[in-house]
Amino acid sequence: MIGIGGAGMAPLAEILLEEGYALSGSDNNPSDTLEHIKSLGIPVYMGHHAENLRGAEMVVHTAALLSDNPELCAAKEMGIPIFERAELFGAITRMYGNCIAVCGTHGKTTTTSLLTQIMILADKDPSAVIGGRLPMIDSNGLVGHSENMVCEACEYQDTFLHLSPDTAVILNIDKDHMEYFKTEENLIRSFHKFAEMATRAVIYNLDDAKTLRAVDGITGKDRITFGTSEGADYRAVNVQLYNGAFPEYDLYIRGEFAGHIALAIPGIHNVDNSLAAIAAAHYNGVTVEQLTNAIASFRGAGRRFEILGKFNGVTIADDYAHHPAELKVTLTAALEMDYREVWAVFQPFTFSRTYMLLEDFADALKMPQHAVLTQIMGSRERNTYGITTQQLADKIPGSVWFETFEEVAQYIVDHAKEGDLVITLGCGDIYKAAKIMMKLYRAQGAQEG
């Protein structure tokens, strides 16, 4: 498995290992996920080299791989069957009789995590493939022993069209990955195809206009809606925020009061995420009482407004937000909480997204009192756009940027004050900057807690 430490690859590795496959893998980036994979006894090579393929009968690679990758080239030369991660993922979904697949531009990981936790606590014994770590199982993959599978379905390069969902959940549709989709119509058409693939039901956001366009004309399966609008099958009424940022609401199911929901995760956007998880779980046999209890115990997914620690009164958190819309909802939640000032530490991810959404990124990062930026993480791309962090920083008054995480961390430790929130943001490896901050504070003998 080339790129075995990726959030999408690692849970598939866990499932295959449980099914009895002999695995090995490689990756360029040290990470917590990679350490977890190693702890399972899977041999992992750091760096990509042809000799890593010794003894392999099949190669699976992440979509983020460049075509000149040494292992990919060697596999072609050796005639070893090669599959992209999405193809393997699709085959795995067909191993289960009841696959619930969660898609949408924003909120997939939180919703998939919450749904998985609900299904576990309701004794549905699910398998799961999640885009982030679920603290309850300390992993982003779970191997159950039932026909139930919960998985995160990503639209990037139409990878979700390889899956075989029985229930398709659509959270929302927003402009992203436009270097691939080119037009909004193409993007919506892909979500329509995904909804068509569901064999039992489509659960979708009644409040999202693009989602409504995507499900237009879908027939032959149950259509179930969620949202705050009148007429939603699963509706949040009397939505309020307690402690400034944590949503609670009255849940109505098909017009009947069903119970009161209080979320332990911040941000008004999580109302929709929780409704989607509730609708999917309830449709699959979970009672309202089981739902309510499971939701009350859910503290979020890893890297989703995850509080890492508190040092000399400075709270350090980490979040996966990497699209302007995600940054806005995360920073809105942060600013509504009881912190003195908010420091947004952002790592732009991919040159294309940074270039195409530059103004939107700047608008989002003007929201907090402080914006600290890193170099752009190109990942699967080469910088054919000529975009730089400096161009983004120029549009954010008072912002600063640094080339290394060590410089970022030192700047924060030198300038953040008691009562502040420092939140690292991005889907790359920006969480490492947060860990360096914590290390620096501890080296200073900072008071924790």
Side-chain angles (χ1 to χ4, degrees):
M1 300 182 78
I2 309 175
I4 195 169
M9 290 278 274
L12 302 186
E14 292 201 46
I15 291 173
L16 290 177
L17 187 68
E18 180 73 15
E19 290 293 329
Y21 288 84
L23 307 178
S24 65
S26 63
D27 215 298
N28 269 335
N29 257 334
S31 66
D32 294 344
T33 305
L34 203 60
E35 289 306 311
H36 176 68
I37 288 295
K38 289 179 184 177
S39 75
L40 300 176
I42 299 173
V44 175
Y45 306 102
M46 293 310 297
H48 300 303
H49 309 284
E51 55 266 28
N52 294 347
L53 270 62
R54 206 174 290 118
E57 296 172 282
M58 174 175 149
V59 168
V60 179
H61 67 91
T62 172
L65 218 61
L66 296 173
S67 59
D68 60 356
N69 179 277
E71 291 179 24
L72 199 59
C73 294
K76 289 174 182 174
E77 287 174 16
M78 297 162 70
I80 300 173
I82 300 168
F83 298 91
E84 195 177 289
R85 171 205 173 257
E87 297 174 288
L88 172 66
F89 192 7
I92 288 175
T93 62
R94 289 184 281 280
M95 291 162 51
Y96 296 88
N98 183 37
C99 175
I100 309 165
V102 179
C103 72
T105 308
H106 315 297
K108 291 186 292 293
T109 298
T110 295
T111 305
T112 308
S113 297
L114 176 55
L115 178 56
T116 299
Q117 183 152 322
I118 291 170
M119 296 287 278
I120 292 169
L121 294 175
D123 296 324
K124 297 296 182 182
D125 194 17
S127 295
V129 174
I130 311 170
R133 181 179 57 84
L134 174 59
M136 182 183 187
I137 58 174
D138 196 27
S139 175
N140 58 348
L142 174 65
V143 184
H145 301 91
S146 72
E147 287 297 306
N148 296 317
M149 180 184 208
V150 179
C151 67
E152 188 169 326
C154 183
E155 75 278 12
Y156 171 67
Q157 291 193 350
D158 279 333
T159 54
F160 62 171
L161 299 184
H162 289 279
L163 309 185
S164 294
D166 295 288
T167 299
V169 180
I170 306 179
L171 299 171
N172 46 61
I173 302 174
D174 200 353
K175 283 188 177 181
D176 199 11
H177 308 302
M178 298 311 288
E179 77 286 354
Y180 172 78
F181 289 108
K182 308 299 182 190
T183 69
E184 192 175 88
E185 285 305 316
N186 289 339
L187 175 64
I188 291 171
R189 191 177 298 117
S190 285
F191 278 91
H192 179 83
K193 288 178 184 174
F194 184 72
E196 279 188 321
M197 290 162 56
T199 60
R200 292 179 60 211
V202 179
I203 299 172
Y204 60 95
N205 189 344
L206 190 63
D207 301 335
D208 188 68
K210 293 185 182 72
T211 297
L212 296 184
R213 285 166 60 190
V215 299
D216 187 37
I218 297 291
T219 58
K221 57 208 72 178
D222 294 333
R223 290 176 50 137
I224 300 161
T225 58
F226 64 88
T228 56
S229 299
E230 193 168 342
D233 294 318
Y234 291 80
R235 185 183 179 200
V237 179
N238 302 324
V239 178
Q240 296 180 357
L241 294 176
Y242 66 93
N243 290 343
F246 296 86
E248 60 179 317
Y249 58 86
D250 293 326
L251 172 66
Y252 281 75
I253 299 178
R254 296 182 180 88
E256 299 287 327
F257 175 75
H260 188 74
I261 303 295
L263 301 180
I265 47 176
I268 198 74
H269 58 289
N270 281 313
V271 171
D272 278 346
N273 294 337
S274 64
L275 285 171
I278 287 168
H282 195 243
Y283 182 75
N284 283 279
V286 178
T287 68
V288 171
E289 184 181 5
Q290 288 172 322
L291 284 166
T292 307
N293 292 338
I295 289 168
S297 68
F298 182 69
R299 295 292 184 272
R303 301 216 60 219
R304 271 65 182 178
F305 216 121
E306 183 177 11
I307 304 296
L308 302 178
K310 193 171 183 179
F311 302 85
N312 290 346
V314 176
T315 300
I316 298 177
D318 179 52
D319 194 273
Y320 196 73
H322 58 281
H323 182 283
E326 294 163 356
L327 288 175
K328 283 182 178 177
V329 295
T330 300
L331 290 171
T332 296
L335 290 163
E336 286 172 343
M337 297 169 84
D338 193 23
Y339 292 107
R340 193 187 75 89
E341 291 186 343
V342 173
W343 296 73
V345 182
F346 178 59
Q347 179 189 47
F349 188 79
T350 73
F351 303 111
S352 59
R353 183 186 283 117
T354 309
Y355 175 79
M356 292 176 180
L357 301 176
L358 187 67
E359 295 295 338
D360 294 332
F361 276 120
D363 287 344
L365 291 164
K366 288 173 187 172
M367 293 171 61
Q369 289 86 357
H370 308 277
V372 181
L373 312 176
T374 75
Q375 295 219 64
I376 300 168
M377 186 174 188
S379 182
R380 53 190 173 257
E381 296 180 342
R382 293 189 171 94
N383 191 3
T384 57
Y385 302 87
I387 187 72
T388 65
T389 298
Q390 184 65 59
Q391 289 169 261
L392 177 58
D394 287 344
K395 295 179 178 294
I396 307 165
S399 67
V400 294
W401 74 276
F402 299 95
E403 293 193 1
T404 69
F405 289 162
E406 286 76 14
E407 291 171 292
V408 167
Q410 191 64 61
Y411 182 83
I412 293 293
V413 170
D414 288 345
H415 292 87
K417 293 181 170 56
E418 184 177 352
D420 287 357
L421 170 70
V422 176
I423 182 163
T424 50
L425 300 152
C427 67
D429 58 353
I430 185 62
Y431 67 89
K432 293 176 181 176
K435 292 196 168 184
I436 297 170
M437 291 174 212
M438 294 162 70
K439 189 176 178 181
L440 289 172
Y441 274 122
R442 286 175 177 137
Q444 292 177 359
Q447 183 179 350
E448 294 190 43

